[in-house]
Amino acid sequence: MNAAFDEYFMRLALAEAAKAAAAGEVPAGCVIVEPPVAEDGPPESARILGIAHNRTEGRRDATAHAEMLALSAAFKARRNWRLCGARLYATKEPCPMCAGAIVLARVKTVVWGVSDPKRGGGTVFGVFDHPGVNHHPEIVTGVLEAESRAVLKEFFSHRRCEPPRKMV
């Protein structure tokens, strides 16, 4: 796939991240696509299998990350838990939980905007490269990195200024 193809779907993931931020969630978005048969096919010819944003707060579910929700939608769309050939776009590097699910689902390519230096499933924990796993996806990083980083910085700069939330 080419850079324009990847940027097209990363922009969709960024739109999902904006929805998350508007809902008070950590702004992460994810899109999973089945690329067109022709390598040089336009983005519009790809099939979107799953699209989601973080919903951990709203669902009160630690597993409701954008990637996990998009994976579940993709399994349903494909009617299969194997996502061979699929490309996953995430605005930030998947955490170890999401990275593990991506490996198990056999996603062909993982594309992310900004790396996570504290909790990155690939860069910190090495899930994608671990010799003990049976699948190693292709990794593409830094797609619309500045935009992805800006969304996170904006969200957390406002959070730091707010008084602590009262737990109900």
Side-chain angles (χ1 to χ4, degrees):
M1 298 290 104
N2 60 43
F5 188 94
D6 287 343
E7 287 176 9
Y8 178 89
F9 289 105
M10 189 60 75
R11 288 192 197 291
L12 293 180
L14 282 163
E16 287 297 308
K19 291 178 189 176
E25 304 275 358
V26 171
C30 181
V31 178
I32 301 173
V33 302
E34 191 172 272
V37 176
E39 280 281 321
D40 59 348
E44 297 83 1
S45 63
R47 177 180 172 213
I48 295 177
L49 300 172
I51 186 166
H53 57 274
N54 272 1
R55 301 190 75 185
T56 55
E57 297 295 334
R59 291 190 176 185
R60 295 182 179 177
D61 179 349
T63 67
H65 290 195
E67 298 92 336
M68 299 298 281
L69 298 172
L71 283 165
S72 290
F75 300 146
K76 200 174 205 178
R78 269 241 182 125
R79 298 172 67 186
N80 195 330
W81 61 268
R82 291 179 184 91
L83 300 178
C84 302
R87 290 178 81 82
L88 182 146
Y89 295 87
T91 55
K92 67 179 215 51
E93 180 181 1
C95 74
M97 172 185 66
C98 295
I102 290 164
V103 167
L104 292 173
R106 294 164 175 78
V107 171
K108 181 180 180 186
T109 307
V110 180
V111 181
W112 69 72
V114 64
S115 294
D116 185 343
K118 292 183 181 177
R119 293 175 210 86
T123 59
V124 176
F125 292 95
V127 174
F128 298 124
D129 298 334
H130 195 281
V133 299
N134 63 341
H135 174 72
H136 301 275
E138 173 190 357
I139 304 297
V140 178
T141 65
V143 174
L144 299 183
E145 182 175 4
E147 293 90 331
S148 297
R149 184 179 317 284
V151 169
L152 288 164
K153 279 186 150 185
E154 171 76 10
F155 178 79
F156 285 111
S157 71
H158 290 298
R159 289 305 274 272
R160 287 185 200 104
C161 296
E162 292 177 0
R165 292 192 334 195
K166 199 176 214 179
M167 298 308 283
V168 188

